[in-house]
Amino acid sequence: MPATQAHAATCTTFFVSASGGSDSNDGCSSSTPWQSIAKVNATTFTAGNQILFQDGGSWTGELQPQGSGSTGNPITVSSYGSGAAPILNGGGAAATVFLKDQQNWTIQNLEITNTAGSAAVRSGVQLENDTSGILNGIHIVNNNIHNVLGFWANVQNPVQPSQSAGIAFDVTDNNATSGWNDVLVQGNTLAHDDAAAVYIGSLLGLNHNINSTNVVINNNTITDAGGNDIVCVFCASPLIENNVAFDNGYRYSGAGLWNGWTTNAVFQNNEVSRQFRNFVDGQAFDIDNNTSGTVIQYNWSHDNPFGFTEWCCSSGFAAKTSVIRYNISQNDGASNAIFPTLSGVDSNTTAQVYNNTIYMGEGDNGKLTDGTPNSNVSFSNNLIYKLGTGGYSTANTTWSHNLFYGNHPSSEPSDSAKITSNPLFVSPGTGGTGRASASVYELQSGSPALGAGTLISGNGGQDYFGNPVSSSTAPNIGAYNGSAVAGPTALQNGGYWPLDENTGTATADISGDSNNGTLQAGASWTTGKVGTSAVNLTGASNSWVDVPTTAVDTSGSYSVSAWVKPNSLTGNQTYASTDGSSISPFYLQLTGGKFAFTTRSSDSTGSTATQVLGLAPTTGTWYQLTGVYDNSAHTIALYVNGALQGSTAFSSPWKANGHTTIGRAKWNGGNVDFVNGAIDDVRMVPRALNSHEAYALGTGAAGYYQLDEGSGQAVTNLLGNTDNGYKEGNTAWAGNGKVGSNSLSFDGTTGTEAVIPSSVIDTGQSYTVAAWVKLNTVSGGNQTFASLAGFNVSPFYLQLSGGKFTFATRSSDSTSSSAAVVTATSSATTGTWFHVLGMYDSSTQTISLYVNGTLQGSTSFTSPWAARGATVIGAGTYNRGPVDLTNGQIDDVHFYNRTLTSTEISQLAAG
């Protein structure tokens, strides 16, 4: 507190102007404003006073005004004038705005930052209660709080970040009776704040009365918080709702939204996405120690690699009486599990998980549940759509009326009312930003989940979408309890049919464009080339797959591809096509014993045929075919196994509006060219693929990240068989690249990386990873270009180490595991593009490193293990956190679930 205090007695509203003020003014009008923070700090304010900073102004230092308001008549710090909000910059102080043992203050409409040369314990807005009582009426509303360079040591227990956050409420640990009442944190934007965004608690975080009441935290937007997003400790019945938190948790431990030592918390209508971790936690939600009555409902959680919700911590010091209901989780849990720590459910309590919808896409191989709870956890009416390979921990759990669709591991729980058929979502896997985007998980007519649930006592009365949930009529399974909805209209935006169902007659277009297909009577399932299965066709007229929609507009550019394994080489056999009225506009086919891509100039049997012929296949062998029509160049091209077979001019495309077909074509109004063989992984793309894309498809890449997007957050896998990734921290589009039009630029700072929330490859078998890199520096520590995130360490690191390119593998998911390393023969240089490729060969049990297509060396590696975590570009994982950040550019990243030949490696290195 300043040594001398003036009392604010001359007026009730005080104006402060950085450009036009003077501390010798009375401050009572906009024409006689004060100038400095020091003047404000030297004044004791009273109930009803306002302190208004002029819009467009900027002040540096700690704002610490004195005095308290009264209930219903607070002291308000706000702004006046027009233009940008006034900027208060702590300039490295302990806090930018600091109120100690004060109450009934409103802080609103300000831009608050606290920059410094290095991280330290500091906050944006810091509230301290060092009394033994309750302080009332702290409202923090509509502020922009950013770039608060705080600090928290993850293992510095028992210190918590209650004095190092964008908004921090700290109560003394000297007694157990202090607390807050009437706390409102609303409408704030918080960005790049450490070590948390909003934190209510104490440094110890334990052994305190639950005395903070009437706490509401709503409608805040949080991005790039270093660790925790929103935390409420020692809170009675807090309401945390309508918040959006994304791209957080890269620098410190913590979860997204969580509570500890708290009763009856409600977390609802929030969106949490792309939460990460540095050391522990990392889930979207966390029901932490000594809580009871927590309800997590109506939330949209997506792309969180470490899970949707955890419980913490251990028997006697864990979570009691919790309910998780009507939430929708998409692509969570790849690096851990959807519910990763059931062991945090306390003894002698209850935990209910019901009517949630959970979608885990391909490569999301995390578990659904993990750990053993200390009391029984009931799972009822949950809709689990799981394409990944992860399993379940089921000890001390009960399961009733759940729907399990997709991959069915042996650990899938017993459930006497289990349903395993397709739930018929509107468009699974395609939800995006905003809670409304989760409408893709509503149920279409005929869904087996409609009305198939069991009644739950005290069910909350409504679902995720606000539809009523009856207390007497059986509900739907999942988070949607409305009536059946119409499916989306199929679009001519392409299609992707992995053909991995392996049962039934339906096959899904997982591109999101709703071009779903049906196996005809003579078609069956067989072992696939890509994924779990393929369709087996006999050459009979009833043996094909019908897609009753038009996937691509054949009057414009398009590409069509498929893996095929012929049983016979006679006659015409068309693997993929589209119906016109009389004929097909294109035929990806076998003809005259050779592969071919054939187009026709009009919808007539008298039209001109244009054809590119490829190699002559043998029976019983898988081949990848890609046909391309480029409407700009007016050419067609055929690739087989990624190799260009030829191209030729074609300038007469036309639009067919009929069915899409797999395994036959149309000629003279009839069905023809029935395939005798197997077909897998069929794609139709509404543009012309380039040679690099065709190469990745044709050589069976598991993931291909061209990094040519150039704008936005998404990092796209061209192959579409894993989730899209996203760039984090200071990762930027470079505006240029080695291959294509762009690349990613990294600055080597913590949190600057790109993350794909699924496992692109299986590191328990042979694999290859390759990237183009151009470094800004070759000195200092390691720089990892590509890796997977294990729980503790990465299974491999394609990196720079000691100034040389290196491929390193770890023998187990432990920091004490042994490493196998291959190092390049020459040092790397800055400002030059290098192609770096690492490969593990399970047959020879060796790892190898190639630089610019040249083998640098090989060494023995006998202990591979399958990491099920997220895929990372620009960093590795060690000791449960991101390490070895890249400082430079990365382009054209390839992942393969096999070794590559020397020819294929040379082709990649040729750019």
Side-chain angles (χ1 to χ4, degrees), residues 15-17 20-23 25-35 80:
F15 298 82
V16 188
S17 171
S22 171
D23 288 350
N25 289 338
D26 62 14
C28 291
S29 72
S30 60
S31 59
T32 59
W34 294 337
Q35 184 179 51
Y80 76 97

Side-chain angles (χ1 to χ4, degrees), residues 10 24 57 138 206 254 277 299 320 401 517 547 734 766 888:
T10 57
S24 62
I138 302 297
L206 303 170
R277 73 165 190 198
N299 299 290
K320 301 174 177 63
H401 292 79
V547 179
S766 294

Side-chain angles (χ1 to χ4, degrees), residues 271 298 422 463 733:
E271 178 181 6
Y298 317 133
N422 191 330
D463 71 357
W733 297 109

Side-chain angles (χ1 to χ4, degrees), residues 554-698:
T554 54
S555 66
S557 295
Y558 63 91
S559 304
V560 55
S561 70
W563 282 93
V564 303
K565 185 172 73 170
N567 292 334
S568 165
L569 304 178
T570 60
N572 293 339
Q573 300 181 44
T574 295
Y575 301 109
S577 190
T578 301
D579 288 347
S581 297
S582 178
I583 66 171
S584 298
F586 69 85
Y587 304 77
L588 186 69
Q589 64 181 175
L590 178 78
T591 182
K594 293 184 176 182
F595 291 128
F597 184 51
T598 306
T599 56
R600 284 278 176 172
S601 61
S602 67
D603 193 3
S604 166
T605 56
S607 60
T608 301
T610 302
Q611 188 174 73
V612 177
L613 288 173
L615 60 79
T618 59
T619 59
T621 300
W622 283 103
Y623 299 87
Q624 204 280 336
L625 312 182
T626 299
V628 177
Y629 169 61
D630 188 330
N631 197 39
S632 297
H634 301 296
T635 58
I636 62 170
L638 173 67
Y639 297 82
V640 178
N641 295 340
L644 179 66
Q645 305 296 290
S647 64
T648 192
F650 175 65
S651 57
S652 301
W654 51 278
K655 184 175 182 177
N657 291 314
H659 289 204
T660 300
T661 60
I662 298 172
R664 72 147 179 88
K666 177 173 276 193
W667 180 258
N668 198 25
N671 297 340
V672 295
D673 298 355
F674 298 99
V675 168
N676 185 353
I679 303 177
D680 197 7
D681 208 62
V682 179
R683 304 161 187 262
M684 294 189 183
V685 182
R687 62 182 180 85
L689 297 181
N690 62 41
S691 59
H692 295 96
E693 295 168 327
Y695 183 82
L697 274 176

